[in-house]
Amino acid sequence: MVERSEQFPHIQLKLTTEGSAKPAQAGARQQNPQTAANLANRQGHGTKLKSSLDSLIFDLQNIQDKREEEGKPPLPEKAKPIILRIDPIAFDAEELRKYGIEVIAELEDGYIIGASANDPEFSELQKKIEKFIKQENGGKKVSEIWDIIDGIRRPEYILSPELLNEWERIRDEQIYTVDVGISCIGTQSQFPNYPDRKPNESDEKYTKRFNKWINKRDSTYEEWDDLAFDRQQDLTDFVEAYNGRLTSSFVEGIIPNGAKLPDSFSCRIQISGKGLKDLVFNFPYIFDVSLPDEFAELIEREASSDTDVPTFQLQPPDSNAPKVCVIDSGIQESHVLLKAALDSQNSRSWVPGETYKTADYVSNGGHGTRVAGAVLYPRTIPRSGNEKAVCWIQNARVLDANCKLPKQLFPPVILGEIVEFYHGQIKTKIFNHSITGVVPCRTQYMSAWAAAIDNLTWQKDILFIVAAGNLPLNGKIGFTRLSVQEHLAAHRTYPDYLLEDSCRIANPAQSFQALTVGSISPASYHALPYSSISQKDKPSAFSCSGLGIWYTIKPEVVEYGGDLVKDEGTPPDITFAKDVCPELVRSTLSGGPAIASDKVGTSFAAPKVSHIAARLAAELPNESCLLYRALIVQSARWTEWAQAEDNSKKTQIIRQMGYGVPNLDRALGNSPNRITLITRGERRIRARQAHVYQVKLPEELRSQGEALEIIVEVTLSYKAQPRRTRRNRRKYLSTWLDWDCSKKGEDPERFLARILKEYDAPEDAEKGEGIFKWTLGKQNNHGIIRDVSRSAGTLQKDWTVVRSFELTEAFCIAIVGHEGWNNDPEATVPYSLVVSFEAIQANIPIYASFVEAQVEIEVQAEVEIQSIGGN
């Protein structure tokens, strides 16, 4: 394959032109019926809000008085909790600071967890309500505040589903371990407005104003840091007052890197039930309380194959070969099939009390050993001969001998420490993370675990490859995750049950900036009384499905992780046969063979993708992980049965299989009938900016006498800084990107002008006919597949099949930056773009003609065009 990639390498995409849209102008919005009704009934709506607020203030004062009588710990004096519901479209939650309210967290459907900002009587809000009732200036926006929620309902907005289900059974004296999220952004939630240059303003005056703005921006960062320090002290004091403790402790007041985001921090605490109730109802800065995630892998069969030790010899990789850090249960480093590739001097254990033990102590063949083996041997394990390892394997042990994540280990903190050690000191870029929680991920906001992966990825040039999670074979885990047996017993048939909420991907697979891997079956099986639930190349019966949080495509790719078999009983007995299990390296520390097909799971699909990432890192050592991620997804294709399905069923396929199975050949290189164009080096873009890339299409392809079918694929991979307390990707990310394609006959300058002109137009506005009919489309229901779009996440792929005569002389792709939570106009985010063309008829050469058609295109002068409309 290396020879092939050298013969047909990826070629560089050329930035043709770029420009920036003018600042948005305020525009009229269509009024929500609820807001319109409130405005038409000022007296009724205002009185209702006033009554709710008076009741809240009265209750809070009663609570405060009783606290002193009951000897409960003091709360922050001037901050009182409040929950509101606002118009989710018209009312910008950040504007609540003008009402004396700090936004602690913004939820779906306009619900806001807030706290009074140095104003325990909510006097500013009361004034606004009075002005609204009296129709005075400054009160009209109160029509967009729909409700003030009774504090007794606070748990339903803060607790995880599993903890909420247990809430009424919480006992005062019992000790509970929970993960909490604390907002620490204050009322200064954004940077001061950037100073626009005034007409005829001198350089000296403008420079003075600009420097003043920089000082204010820097001081805002300092305020956030100071606030985080104060609030972690408030939390510590509160928990310790109940004789509890923070198990993910802060050293000298410093919040660990993995647990801190720009708007919040997370930690794990132990506290009594009495203290937990007080914390949830009354601590004003808390927005998330959840039970610790547990890791439960599928139970393995008894090993029954390959009792002979293979004679195959693994040779060490090159000294500068890529490194893959396996975060798992440890590795049997002396294993004959692994030893030569192990970077043993950098093995580490984070298991409490066993920091000196890095071996894989999981019985019946281990877990991390299997994962490490799948990185090196993604398909089959050779029995003879010798071969050089493709990468170094690094061993980061976090699971104990029971294959469990100890409760003393808080995932965000541990991941931060692992990345700091392996990337910070050894420059490791690829991290295989085959550990997930046992219940479906939440869709309200990003978990601390997933957000930590996103934030670490933002800070470093690294790639996390994570498993999608597994359904249990039988029994029940929590009340939100049903087993395969339960689904079948309830007459939910395969593969439809995979679309149930209880089958949603597990935490942290929803991470925006990780690459999530699901599983498909390697074979079909039928040997009475058992038969496989899935069939060859179809989604595994246990593999968790998407969509992910905020309708992102998750998992993005799938690999062969095995399948399950069932008999005809009621309920059916479920297990897995050797024929449907992937072949894996097996730990021999507790006896048994060195190789076996005795275990299934998405845990073993993920490292097969890590193998491709390592190969890419070896071929393109100076390129970013964003490009590796893009090339993996660009190489992915659905299996034959999925491609042949009716379009009406393809939404289901993308939820279960993402973009399909990645292909090493397509990721690394091309062929005579395929060409891939990529951006090289670091490309960065600001909000309201557009970068246009032009691809020239060879005339001989367009003038073919017969219609050739060409697959066109585009993948955008980017990363941005996350904020955990906000409700959707546009507020979770500091800057968000999407891409668009030119219309027929549209040159780069006209395309750029249109993109910038339409920048602030509503998403559902008519944008005209593009060159291609994309499979997914930029918005829901704009493509061939319905109810899903390519633009929801930070990894955006789309594809189409066109006839050669439909191609024009050239087409353009625009990468467009949009403002997220970071309103600093100088803030940039990095991205990689990949574009491929492939002739479906393998004997039609297009590579050489495409290379010849690409000419050096000078970057043209930046264009600025007045944008239209407004948000």
Side-chain angles (χ1 to χ4, degrees):
M1 179 57 236
V2 174
E3 293 178 0
R4 179 168 171 158
S5 66
E6 289 175 351
Q7 186 178 358
F8 299 102
H10 303 323
I11 65 173
Q12 186 169 352
L13 273 169
K14 301 297 183 182
L15 178 64
T16 306
T17 186
E18 60 182 298
S20 297
K22 289 286 188 179
Q25 309 232 333
R29 289 182 180 274
Q30 185 174 358
Q31 197 172 54
N32 187 287
Q34 179 65 56
T35 297
N38 295 341
L39 195 57
N41 182 23
R42 285 177 179 258
Q43 187 68 39
H45 181 60
T47 301
K48 184 191 81 168
L49 290 182
K50 189 173 185 301
S51 175
S52 296
L53 186 57
D54 287 343
S55 178
L56 175 66
I57 294 170
F58 178 79
D59 289 344
L60 290 172
Q61 186 57 53
N62 264 352
I63 289 169
Q64 184 60 38
D65 293 341
K66 288 182 179 179
R67 293 188 73 78
E68 297 174 4
E69 295 174 11
E70 296 170 356
K72 290 182 177 178
L75 294 165
E77 289 185 11
K78 297 182 179 180
K80 301 299 178 186
I82 185 172
I83 295 178
L84 310 96
R85 191 180 185 198
I86 61 173
D87 185 326
I89 302 299
F91 196 103
D92 182 356
E94 308 304 335
E95 292 293 299
L96 282 170
R97 67 183 188 277
K98 296 177 181 177
Y99 295 71
I101 294 173
E102 173 186 344
V103 176
I104 302 302
E106 185 178 4
L107 312 180
E108 293 292 344
D109 301 321
Y111 288 97
I112 303 292
I113 300 172
S116 59
N118 298 319
D119 181 15
E121 300 297 322
F122 296 97
S123 56
E124 285 300 318
L125 179 56
Q126 293 194 65
K127 290 175 185 176
K128 296 282 188 183
I129 294 172
E130 289 293 340
K131 287 182 177 181
F132 175 73
I133 293 172
K134 296 176 180 178
Q135 301 189 37
E136 295 176 358
N137 288 336
K140 184 178 179 181
K141 292 285 285 183
V142 171
S143 63
E144 296 167 6
I145 298 177
W146 290 355
D147 203 2
I148 296 172
I149 312 295
D150 192 320
I152 199 69
R153 293 177 58 190
R154 192 169 164 84
E156 66 186 82
Y157 299 104
I158 291 177
L159 302 181
S160 67
E162 288 73 29
L163 186 53
L164 183 62
N165 186 57
E166 296 292 324
W167 190 244
E168 296 301 321
R169 294 185 288 275
I170 297 291
R171 292 183 291 175
D172 283 356
E173 302 309 316
Q174 185 171 328
I175 302 300
Y176 295 87
T177 299
V178 294
D179 297 340
V180 300
I182 305 295
S183 175
C184 54
I185 202 167
T187 55
Q188 191 64 31
S189 59
Q190 292 183 297
F191 298 109
N193 291 329
Y194 187 83
D196 291 323
R197 190 158 191 164
K198 299 175 182 177
N200 303 319
E201 185 176 19
S202 68
D203 290 344
E204 182 180 357
K205 285 187 176 180
Y206 178 71
T207 300
K208 186 176 181 180
R209 289 197 305 116
F210 179 76
N211 288 335
K212 186 177 180 181
W213 174 82
I214 289 178
N215 290 335
K216 286 184 177 179
R217 181 192 64 182
D218 293 344
S219 67
T220 301
Y221 276 120
E222 292 174 3
E223 287 176 21
W224 292 344
D225 287 339
D226 291 344
L227 200 57
F229 178 83
D230 291 343
R231 292 188 178 175
Q232 64 96 352
Q233 190 59 55
D234 287 340
L235 177 67
T236 301
D237 292 344
F238 186 97
V239 172
E240 290 180 349
Y242 281 101
N243 297 316
R245 66 188 184 94
L246 277 65
T247 60
S248 55
S249 58
F250 306 120
V251 180
E252 297 181 355
I254 298 174
I255 300 170
N257 185 39
K260 186 178 185 300
L261 298 178
D263 65 333
S264 60
F265 67 85
S266 304
C267 60
R268 180 163 291 178
I269 66 172
Q270 284 184 344
I271 194 170
S272 67
K274 182 179 180 181
L276 179 58
K277 293 174 187 175
D278 193 8
L279 185 74
V280 169
F281 279 112
N282 298 309
F283 194 78
Y285 309 126
I286 199 161
F287 67 90
D288 175 34
V289 184
S290 56
L291 295 171
D293 283 287
E294 296 181 1
F295 176 61
E297 192 62 1
L298 297 175
I299 300 170
E300 67 278 343
R301 298 173 55 254
E302 287 298 319
S304 59
S305 61
D306 279 46
T307 54
D308 295 331
V309 177
T311 61
F312 170 78
Q313 294 292 316
L314 181 69
Q315 301 298 323
D318 294 335
S319 60
N320 62 347
K323 308 172 190 71
V324 177
C325 178
V326 175
I327 306 171
D328 216 280
S329 65
I331 299 171
Q332 183 190 357
E333 298 185 12
S334 61
H335 199 291
V336 65
L337 293 169
L338 304 178
K339 183 177 179 180
L342 259 295
D343 178 17
S344 298
Q345 64 180 350
N346 289 309
S347 299
R348 295 290 184 276
S349 170
W350 276 262
V351 176
E354 298 182 8
T355 54
Y356 56 94
K357 293 182 177 180
T358 59
D360 186 354
Y361 296 100
V362 175
S363 61
N364 293 324
H367 188 269
T369 301
R370 287 181 167 98
V371 171
V375 174
L376 297 174
Y377 311 104
R379 285 291 178 264
T380 58
I381 301 171
R383 302 308 200 273
S384 60
N386 64 82
E387 186 177 307
K388 182 183 288 189
V390 301
C391 62
W392 293 102
I393 299 293
Q394 294 173 324
N395 178 9
R397 181 180 179 229
V398 297
L399 300 180
D400 63 20
N402 296 314
C403 210
K404 299 288 187 181
L405 189 66
K407 284 192 175 181
Q408 301 97 309
L409 300 185
F410 185 45
V413 173
I414 298 308
L415 291 183
E417 292 177 3
I418 288 172
V419 169
E420 181 60 34
F421 177 73
Y422 287 102
H423 179 77
Q425 298 184 33
I426 316 171
K427 305 305 179 187
T428 304
K429 297 173 70 172
I430 301 166
F431 293 82
N432 189 94
H433 191 288
S434 287
I435 304 169
T436 66
V438 297
V439 296
C441 74
R442 297 167 67 182
T443 57
Q444 191 173 58
Y445 38 67
M446 198 68 73
S447 72
W449 192 352
I453 291 175
D454 286 345
N455 198 42
L456 292 166
T457 302
W458 161 254
Q459 295 172 348
K460 317 284 186 183
D461 181 23
I462 58 177
L463 175 60
F464 270 88
I465 296 173
V466 306
N470 306 313
L471 305 181
L473 276 62
N474 45 50
K476 196 171 189 176
I477 299 178
F479 87 104
T480 55
R481 178 74 89 199
L482 303 182
S483 67
V484 174
Q485 185 182 66
E486 285 176 304
H487 283 294
L488 295 178
H491 305 293
R492 299 187 192 100
T493 59
Y494 168 90
D496 294 343
Y497 69 75
L498 293 176
L499 303 178
E500 297 287 324
D501 286 345
S502 65
C503 299
R504 188 168 57 245
I505 56 172
N507 191 25
Q510 74 275 28
S511 161
F512 260 37
Q513 290 167 183
L515 183 59
T516 302
V517 186
S519 175
I520 59 173
S521 176
S524 302
Y525 179 81
H526 186 71
L528 292 177
Y530 287 96
S531 60
S532 53
I533 298 176
S534 176
Q535 298 295 313
K536 178 175 169 49
D537 293 337
K538 293 191 174 184
S540 302
F542 56 78
S543 184
C544 294
S545 300
L547 297 171
I549 188 171
W550 306 320
Y551 305 105
T552 50
I553 293 173
K554 290 282 182 177
E556 290 98 344
V557 294
V558 290
E559 259 289 0
Y560 293 97
D563 192 35
L564 305 177
V565 300
K566 66 178 180 67
D567 65 9
E568 300 305 316
T570 306
D573 178 50
I574 295 175
T575 183
F576 31 95
K578 175 179 181 293
D579 289 2
V580 295
C581 295
E583 184 175 77
L584 299 168
V585 174
R586 185 182 181 281
S587 171
T588 59
L589 289 180
S590 55
I595 300 172
S597 299
D598 63 348
K599 197 166 175 63
V600 299
T602 58
S603 289
F604 313 117
K608 297 182 178 188
V609 177
S610 294
H611 175 90
I612 299 177
R615 294 291 298 270
L616 284 166
E619 289 282 304
L620 304 166
N622 298 319
E623 298 296 342
S624 74
C625 287
L626 287 176
L627 180 60
Y628 305 159
R629 186 172 71 142
L631 285 169
I632 291 170
V633 166
Q634 183 81 342
S635 76
R637 295 268 176 87
W638 287 346
T639 48
E640 287 185 10
W641 74 269
Q643 294 183 41
E645 283 283 14
D646 184 82
N647 286 336
S648 64
K649 296 182 179 179
K650 287 182 176 176
T651 301
Q652 174 176 324
I653 293 170
I654 205 162
R655 288 180 60 183
Q656 296 166 344
M657 296 178 60
Y659 300 110
V661 184
N663 178 275
L664 181 62
D665 285 359
R666 285 195 295 266
L668 282 173
N670 301 283
S671 60
N673 69 313
R674 177 183 172 86
I675 187 167
T676 300
L677 302 95
I678 63 174
T679 54
R680 288 189 175 272
E682 185 174 79
R683 300 285 186 178
R684 300 190 74 93
I685 193 169
R686 299 189 302 271
R688 307 194 69 81
Q689 191 175 31
H691 290 174
V692 174
Y693 295 86
Q694 185 182 45
V695 180
K696 295 283 189 178
L697 306 180
E699 182 180 358
E700 60 197 79
L701 178 65
R702 294 180 281 116
S703 59
Q704 288 279 349
E706 57 185 274
L708 302 177
E709 289 188 320
I710 306 294
I711 301 173
V712 184
E713 298 165 292
V714 178
T715 299
L716 168 66
S717 170
Y718 75 95
K719 62 180 180 179
Q721 189 175 22
R723 263 190 185 178
R724 193 170 162 238
T725 60
R726 297 309 187 248
R727 71 180 180 192
N728 56 39
R729 55 136 178 164
R730 300 189 178 189
K731 294 191 177 183
Y732 175 69
L733 299 173
S734 54
T735 304
W736 58 277
L737 309 184
D738 59 14
W739 62 267
D740 211 338
C741 182
S742 57
K743 297 179 183 178
K744 293 179 179 178
E746 196 170 37
D747 63 31
E749 290 74 22
R750 288 173 59 195
F751 177 43
L752 175 63
R754 176 174 63 83
I755 287 291
L756 299 179
K757 185 178 181 182
E758 295 175 348
Y759 184 90
D760 291 308
E763 285 192 355
D764 57 357
E766 180 58 48
K767 301 294 177 68
E769 183 183 5
I771 296 177
F772 307 130
K773 178 66 173 177
W774 295 101
T775 301
L776 302 179
K778 192 174 175 181
Q779 281 92 40
N780 281 356
N781 301 321
H782 279 204
I784 295 171
I785 297 179
R786 318 307 282 176
D787 301 319
V788 66
S789 80
R790 66 174 181 244
S791 302
T794 63
L795 194 52
Q796 302 175 9
K797 179 180 179 178
D798 215 337
W799 68 101
T800 188
V801 177
V802 298
R803 304 283 184 176
S804 56
F805 62 76
E806 296 175 321
L807 298 172
T808 58
E809 180 182 351
F811 89 105
C812 300
I813 296 287
I815 308 302
V816 185
H818 303 268
E819 186 177 297
W821 62 258
N822 192 341
N823 65 327
D824 179 354
E826 296 302 307
T828 62
V829 296
Y831 69 89
S832 289
L833 177 65
V834 179
V835 182
S836 298
F837 295 83
E838 181 176 332
I840 291 180
Q841 297 92 331
N843 63 335
I844 303 296
I846 67 171
Y847 183 91
S849 60
F850 258 94
V851 172
E852 292 170 5
Q854 309 312 306
V855 295
E856 188 72 29
I857 303 169
E858 295 294 330
V859 177
Q860 301 181 9
E862 187 168 297
V863 179
E864 284 200 348
I865 295 179
Q866 179 67 46
S867 60
I868 63 171
N871 291 323

